[in-house]
Amino acid sequence: MGETPSAGGPLSGVRVIELAGIGPCPFAAMLLADLGAEVIRVDRPGGRPAFPDPAKDMTNRGKRSVAVDLKDERGREVVLRMVERADVLVEGFRPGVTERLGLGPEDCLARNPALVYGRMTGWGQQGPLAQSAGHDIGYIAVTGALHAIGRAGGPPQVPMNLLGDFAGGSMYLVVGVLAALLEARTSGKGQVVDAAIVDGTSHLATFIHAFLATGAWQDRRGVNMLDTGAPWYDVYETADGRHMAVGAIEPQFYAEFVRLLGIAGEQGLPTQYETDRWPELRERFATAFKARTRDEWAEIFLPGDACVAPVLSLHEAAEHPYNTGREMFVRSAGGAPQPAPAPRFSRTPGAIGGPPATSGAHTREVLTELGFTDVDELLGSGAVVQN
């Protein structure tokens, strides 16, 4: 600690080509950009209509955009020339799409044998579902993860698209790309990173599978320690209709929880692991929490060691002192708050390198920097577009 921060993040000097898509692949490229990589996004000339306002698409922050017509042979050649000057390419198309475009791994590695080619799919490059359409909810369904989320007697609960797309997908693509980059620095050879959301989501559940193998976890929702089965690992409504989250697992934290909740001395209070009396214990907790508002309980529990926290909305989280005190969110001039780069580094901190890149905003600038001498000709032909 105490080192003088450098001007760039830990990936400064790494150049990434991102073939434009939606969801987990753009987020992975954003993370690389946050950590200092130069990310050049190859967009379609017409842009990406899936996002309501591309200028506010935070997953495009810190990148530059080159608009290329990939159906034009000259456009494909532009991308391959960019690949020659890159360290990484990431893409999130269905298996076989980049091969048909002439931008598959063989095409790109022939131009740059040291290239790390990162591929993001839902079902993987091979397998019985490889060519099927899909989204996060389906990917986490077949891994067993969705089945495990929810309350006893109720249906599976959908955890937005954080678990599959971004945890099982984006983060595993980034880990794979970084590992392959590290290996390439000793071998001088690139390789393909096949990041499938189903693989990553399944891998994330290793801890639960370990408990399942020992019989310490039941393959049913809402009956286990960490899935709302235990009354001391759950959420409770407060007097104002908001909620508090309780995760008092360890005995010392549980003791502090019931003390601050004000029920430690109540007669006949079940002990923490009297599982047959968990319904009674849950009712005691619920009744106690209804006596005060969420913010009143937050004042009682935090800071502290009861492992209890208020459930904040997304808007509240961006402004709450818990998070502003750590600068978890940043706000550009006139812009909405957005999550700050993570993780943090003592000497080479990451940073948001600029606002979201809109399609083709940097075509001339980027190609000129990369040494293209025929930029005007390419623009005139329509193979690339400057917007």
Side-chain angles (χ1 to χ4, degrees), residues 129-166:
L129 297 178
Q131 292 297 329
S132 297
H135 284 293
D136 174 289
I137 192 169
Y139 307 142
I140 68 173
V142 302
T143 66
L146 182 58
H147 166 82
I149 301 172
R151 295 190 176 276
Q157 295 296 306
V158 180
M160 298 192 287
N161 67 330
L162 298 179
L163 176 56
D165 280 353
F166 301 117

Short mmCIF file of all heavy atoms in Angstrom, two decimals, residues 129-166:
data_model
loop_
_atom_site.label_atom_id
_atom_site.label_comp_id
_atom_site.label_asym_id
_atom_site.label_seq_id
_atom_site.Cartn_x
_atom_site.Cartn_y
_atom_site.Cartn_z
N LEU A 129 -27.81 -28.35 -27.80
CA LEU A 129 -28.56 -27.08 -27.85
C LEU A 129 -27.75 -25.94 -28.45
O LEU A 129 -28.20 -24.80 -28.45
CB LEU A 129 -29.00 -26.69 -26.43
CG LEU A 129 -29.96 -27.64 -25.73
CD1 LEU A 129 -30.28 -27.13 -24.31
CD2 LEU A 129 -31.25 -27.79 -26.52
N ALA A 130 -26.58 -26.24 -28.99
CA ALA A 130 -25.67 -25.19 -29.44
C ALA A 130 -26.31 -24.22 -30.42
O ALA A 130 -26.03 -23.01 -30.38
CB ALA A 130 -24.41 -25.80 -30.06
N GLN A 131 -27.18 -24.69 -31.28
CA GLN A 131 -27.78 -23.83 -32.31
C GLN A 131 -29.15 -23.29 -31.90
O GLN A 131 -29.81 -22.61 -32.69
CB GLN A 131 -27.89 -24.58 -33.63
CG GLN A 131 -26.54 -24.88 -34.28
CD GLN A 131 -25.79 -23.62 -34.65
OE1 GLN A 131 -26.37 -22.60 -34.97
NE2 GLN A 131 -24.45 -23.69 -34.58
N SER A 132 -29.57 -23.56 -30.68
CA SER A 132 -30.87 -23.08 -30.23
C SER A 132 -30.77 -21.66 -29.71
O SER A 132 -29.77 -21.26 -29.12
CB SER A 132 -31.41 -23.99 -29.10
OG SER A 132 -31.63 -25.29 -29.56
N ALA A 133 -31.85 -20.89 -29.91
CA ALA A 133 -31.92 -19.56 -29.30
C ALA A 133 -32.09 -19.72 -27.80
O ALA A 133 -32.53 -20.77 -27.31
CB ALA A 133 -33.09 -18.79 -29.90
N GLY A 134 -31.76 -18.69 -27.05
CA GLY A 134 -31.91 -18.78 -25.61
C GLY A 134 -31.66 -17.46 -24.93
O GLY A 134 -31.17 -16.50 -25.54
N HIS A 135 -32.02 -17.41 -23.66
CA HIS A 135 -31.74 -16.26 -22.81
C HIS A 135 -31.37 -16.77 -21.42
O HIS A 135 -31.50 -17.96 -21.11
CB HIS A 135 -32.94 -15.32 -22.75
CG HIS A 135 -33.12 -14.48 -23.97
ND1 HIS A 135 -32.22 -13.50 -24.34
CD2 HIS A 135 -34.09 -14.47 -24.93
CE1 HIS A 135 -32.61 -12.93 -25.46
NE2 HIS A 135 -33.75 -13.50 -25.84
N ASP A 136 -30.95 -15.85 -20.59
CA ASP A 136 -30.48 -16.17 -19.24
C ASP A 136 -31.39 -17.17 -18.53
O ASP A 136 -30.92 -18.15 -17.95
CB ASP A 136 -30.37 -14.87 -18.44
CG ASP A 136 -30.02 -15.07 -16.98
OD1 ASP A 136 -30.88 -15.57 -16.21
OD2 ASP A 136 -28.90 -14.73 -16.58
N ILE A 137 -32.69 -16.92 -18.54
CA ILE A 137 -33.62 -17.74 -17.75
C ILE A 137 -33.55 -19.21 -18.16
O ILE A 137 -33.64 -20.11 -17.31
CB ILE A 137 -35.06 -17.19 -17.85
CG1 ILE A 137 -35.96 -17.85 -16.82
CG2 ILE A 137 -35.61 -17.32 -19.27
CD1 ILE A 137 -37.32 -17.17 -16.69
N GLY A 138 -33.38 -19.47 -19.46
CA GLY A 138 -33.27 -20.85 -19.91
C GLY A 138 -31.94 -21.47 -19.56
O GLY A 138 -31.87 -22.65 -19.20
N TYR A 139 -30.88 -20.68 -19.65
CA TYR A 139 -29.55 -21.20 -19.34
C TYR A 139 -29.47 -21.63 -17.87
O TYR A 139 -28.95 -22.70 -17.55
CB TYR A 139 -28.48 -20.16 -19.63
CG TYR A 139 -28.51 -19.59 -21.02
CD1 TYR A 139 -28.24 -18.25 -21.25
CD2 TYR A 139 -28.82 -20.39 -22.13
CE1 TYR A 139 -28.28 -17.71 -22.53
CE2 TYR A 139 -28.86 -19.86 -23.41
CZ TYR A 139 -28.60 -18.52 -23.61
OH TYR A 139 -28.64 -17.99 -24.87
N ILE A 140 -29.97 -20.76 -16.97
CA ILE A 140 -29.87 -21.12 -15.55
C ILE A 140 -30.87 -22.22 -15.20
O ILE A 140 -30.69 -22.94 -14.20
CB ILE A 140 -30.03 -19.90 -14.62
CG1 ILE A 140 -31.45 -19.32 -14.67
CG2 ILE A 140 -29.00 -18.84 -14.96
CD1 ILE A 140 -31.67 -18.21 -13.64
N ALA A 141 -31.91 -22.39 -16.03
CA ALA A 141 -32.88 -23.45 -15.78
C ALA A 141 -32.25 -24.82 -15.94
O ALA A 141 -32.42 -25.71 -15.10
CB ALA A 141 -34.07 -23.31 -16.72
N VAL A 142 -31.49 -25.02 -17.03
CA VAL A 142 -30.95 -26.35 -17.29
C VAL A 142 -29.75 -26.68 -16.40
O VAL A 142 -29.36 -27.85 -16.31
CB VAL A 142 -30.56 -26.54 -18.77
CG1 VAL A 142 -31.76 -26.30 -19.67
CG2 VAL A 142 -29.39 -25.67 -19.16
N THR A 143 -29.17 -25.70 -15.72
CA THR A 143 -28.05 -25.98 -14.83
C THR A 143 -28.51 -26.42 -13.44
O THR A 143 -27.69 -26.85 -12.62
CB THR A 143 -27.16 -24.74 -14.65
OG1 THR A 143 -27.89 -23.73 -13.97
CG2 THR A 143 -26.66 -24.23 -15.98
N GLY A 144 -29.80 -26.28 -13.15
CA GLY A 144 -30.31 -26.58 -11.81
C GLY A 144 -30.35 -25.37 -10.90
O GLY A 144 -30.98 -25.41 -9.83
N ALA A 145 -29.69 -24.28 -11.30
CA ALA A 145 -29.63 -23.11 -10.43
C ALA A 145 -31.00 -22.48 -10.23
O ALA A 145 -31.37 -22.09 -9.11
CB ALA A 145 -28.66 -22.08 -11.00
N LEU A 146 -31.79 -22.36 -11.29
CA LEU A 146 -33.10 -21.73 -11.16
C LEU A 146 -34.01 -22.56 -10.28
O LEU A 146 -34.77 -22.02 -9.46
CB LEU A 146 -33.73 -21.54 -12.56
CG LEU A 146 -35.09 -20.85 -12.59
CD1 LEU A 146 -35.03 -19.47 -11.95
CD2 LEU A 146 -35.60 -20.76 -14.02
N HIS A 147 -33.94 -23.87 -10.40
CA HIS A 147 -34.75 -24.77 -9.57
C HIS A 147 -34.51 -24.52 -8.08
O HIS A 147 -35.42 -24.66 -7.26
CB HIS A 147 -34.41 -26.23 -9.91
CG HIS A 147 -34.92 -27.22 -8.91
ND1 HIS A 147 -36.21 -27.69 -8.92
CD2 HIS A 147 -34.32 -27.82 -7.84
CE1 HIS A 147 -36.38 -28.54 -7.92
NE2 HIS A 147 -35.25 -28.64 -7.26
N ALA A 148 -33.30 -24.14 -7.74
CA ALA A 148 -32.92 -24.02 -6.32
C ALA A 148 -33.29 -22.69 -5.70
O ALA A 148 -33.15 -22.51 -4.49
CB ALA A 148 -31.41 -24.25 -6.18
N ILE A 149 -33.76 -21.73 -6.51
CA ILE A 149 -34.02 -20.38 -6.00
C ILE A 149 -35.52 -20.18 -5.81
O ILE A 149 -36.30 -20.26 -6.76
CB ILE A 149 -33.46 -19.32 -6.97
CG1 ILE A 149 -31.97 -19.51 -7.15
CG2 ILE A 149 -33.77 -17.91 -6.46
CD1 ILE A 149 -31.36 -18.64 -8.23
N GLY A 150 -35.93 -19.92 -4.58
CA GLY A 150 -37.35 -19.69 -4.29
C GLY A 150 -37.72 -20.23 -2.93
O GLY A 150 -36.91 -20.84 -2.24
N ARG A 151 -38.96 -19.99 -2.55
CA ARG A 151 -39.44 -20.43 -1.24
C ARG A 151 -40.08 -21.80 -1.31
O ARG A 151 -40.56 -22.22 -2.37
CB ARG A 151 -40.43 -19.40 -0.68
CG ARG A 151 -39.79 -18.06 -0.39
CD ARG A 151 -40.72 -17.12 0.38
NE ARG A 151 -40.00 -15.91 0.71
CZ ARG A 151 -39.21 -15.76 1.76
NH1 ARG A 151 -39.03 -16.79 2.59
NH2 ARG A 151 -38.58 -14.63 2.00
N ALA A 152 -40.10 -22.46 -0.19
CA ALA A 152 -40.72 -23.78 -0.10
C ALA A 152 -42.18 -23.70 -0.53
O ALA A 152 -42.91 -22.81 -0.10
CB ALA A 152 -40.60 -24.32 1.31
N GLY A 153 -42.59 -24.64 -1.37
CA GLY A 153 -43.97 -24.67 -1.81
C GLY A 153 -44.30 -23.72 -2.93
O GLY A 153 -45.43 -23.73 -3.44
N GLY A 154 -43.34 -22.89 -3.33
CA GLY A 154 -43.58 -21.92 -4.39
C GLY A 154 -42.77 -22.24 -5.63
O GLY A 154 -41.95 -23.16 -5.64
N PRO A 155 -42.99 -21.49 -6.70
CA PRO A 155 -42.26 -21.72 -7.95
C PRO A 155 -40.84 -21.18 -7.87
O PRO A 155 -40.51 -20.39 -6.98
CB PRO A 155 -43.08 -20.94 -8.97
CG PRO A 155 -43.63 -19.79 -8.18
CD PRO A 155 -43.94 -20.36 -6.82
N PRO A 156 -39.99 -21.57 -8.81
CA PRO A 156 -38.66 -20.95 -8.87
C PRO A 156 -38.79 -19.43 -9.06
O PRO A 156 -39.70 -18.96 -9.74
CB PRO A 156 -38.03 -21.61 -10.10
CG PRO A 156 -38.77 -22.89 -10.28
CD PRO A 156 -40.18 -22.60 -9.84
N GLN A 157 -37.87 -18.69 -8.47
CA GLN A 157 -37.88 -17.24 -8.57
C GLN A 157 -36.75 -16.77 -9.49
O GLN A 157 -35.62 -17.24 -9.36
CB GLN A 157 -37.72 -16.61 -7.19
CG GLN A 157 -38.89 -16.88 -6.26
CD GLN A 157 -40.19 -16.27 -6.78
OE1 GLN A 157 -40.26 -15.08 -7.06
NE2 GLN A 157 -41.22 -17.10 -6.89
N VAL A 158 -37.05 -15.85 -10.39
CA VAL A 158 -36.09 -15.41 -11.41
C VAL A 158 -35.19 -14.31 -10.84
O VAL A 158 -35.68 -13.25 -10.48
CB VAL A 158 -36.82 -14.90 -12.66
CG1 VAL A 158 -35.83 -14.45 -13.72
CG2 VAL A 158 -37.76 -15.98 -13.20
N PRO A 159 -33.88 -14.53 -10.76
CA PRO A 159 -32.95 -13.55 -10.19
C PRO A 159 -32.46 -12.53 -11.23
O PRO A 159 -31.28 -12.32 -11.40
CB PRO A 159 -31.80 -14.42 -9.69
CG PRO A 159 -31.75 -15.53 -10.67
CD PRO A 159 -33.18 -15.80 -11.07
N MET A 160 -33.43 -11.87 -11.92
CA MET A 160 -33.10 -10.99 -13.05
C MET A 160 -32.21 -11.79 -14.02
O MET A 160 -32.37 -12.99 -14.16
CB MET A 160 -32.45 -9.69 -12.58
CG MET A 160 -33.37 -8.87 -11.68
SD MET A 160 -32.77 -7.19 -11.38
CE MET A 160 -31.40 -7.49 -10.26
N ASN A 161 -31.28 -11.13 -14.70
CA ASN A 161 -30.37 -11.89 -15.56
C ASN A 161 -28.93 -11.77 -15.07
O ASN A 161 -27.99 -11.86 -15.85
CB ASN A 161 -30.48 -11.44 -17.02
CG ASN A 161 -29.97 -10.02 -17.24
OD1 ASN A 161 -30.05 -9.18 -16.34
ND2 ASN A 161 -29.47 -9.74 -18.43
N LEU A 162 -28.79 -11.58 -13.77
CA LEU A 162 -27.45 -11.42 -13.21
C LEU A 162 -26.71 -12.74 -13.08
O LEU A 162 -25.50 -12.81 -13.32
CB LEU A 162 -27.54 -10.75 -11.83
CG LEU A 162 -28.15 -9.34 -11.79
CD1 LEU A 162 -28.20 -8.83 -10.35
CD2 LEU A 162 -27.34 -8.38 -12.67
N LEU A 163 -27.40 -13.79 -12.70
CA LEU A 163 -26.75 -15.06 -12.41
C LEU A 163 -26.18 -15.73 -13.66
O LEU A 163 -25.04 -16.19 -13.66
CB LEU A 163 -27.74 -16.00 -11.71
CG LEU A 163 -27.26 -17.42 -11.41
CD1 LEU A 163 -25.99 -17.38 -10.56
CD2 LEU A 163 -28.35 -18.22 -10.72
N GLY A 164 -26.97 -15.77 -14.72
CA GLY A 164 -26.51 -16.43 -15.93
C GLY A 164 -25.68 -15.52 -16.82
O GLY A 164 -24.47 -15.72 -17.00
N ASP A 165 -26.30 -14.50 -17.38
CA ASP A 165 -25.63 -13.64 -18.34
C ASP A 165 -24.32 -13.06 -17.81
O ASP A 165 -23.28 -13.15 -18.48
CB ASP A 165 -26.54 -12.47 -18.73
CG ASP A 165 -27.58 -12.85 -19.77
OD1 ASP A 165 -27.51 -13.98 -20.30
OD2 ASP A 165 -28.46 -12.03 -20.05
N PHE A 166 -24.37 -12.47 -16.64
CA PHE A 166 -23.23 -11.68 -16.20
C PHE A 166 -22.29 -12.40 -15.25
O PHE A 166 -21.07 -12.23 -15.34
CB PHE A 166 -23.73 -10.36 -15.58
CG PHE A 166 -24.53 -9.55 -16.56
CD1 PHE A 166 -25.86 -9.27 -16.34
CD2 PHE A 166 -23.96 -9.11 -17.75
CE1 PHE A 166 -26.60 -8.54 -17.26
CE2 PHE A 166 -24.69 -8.39 -18.67
CZ PHE A 166 -26.01 -8.09 -18.43
#
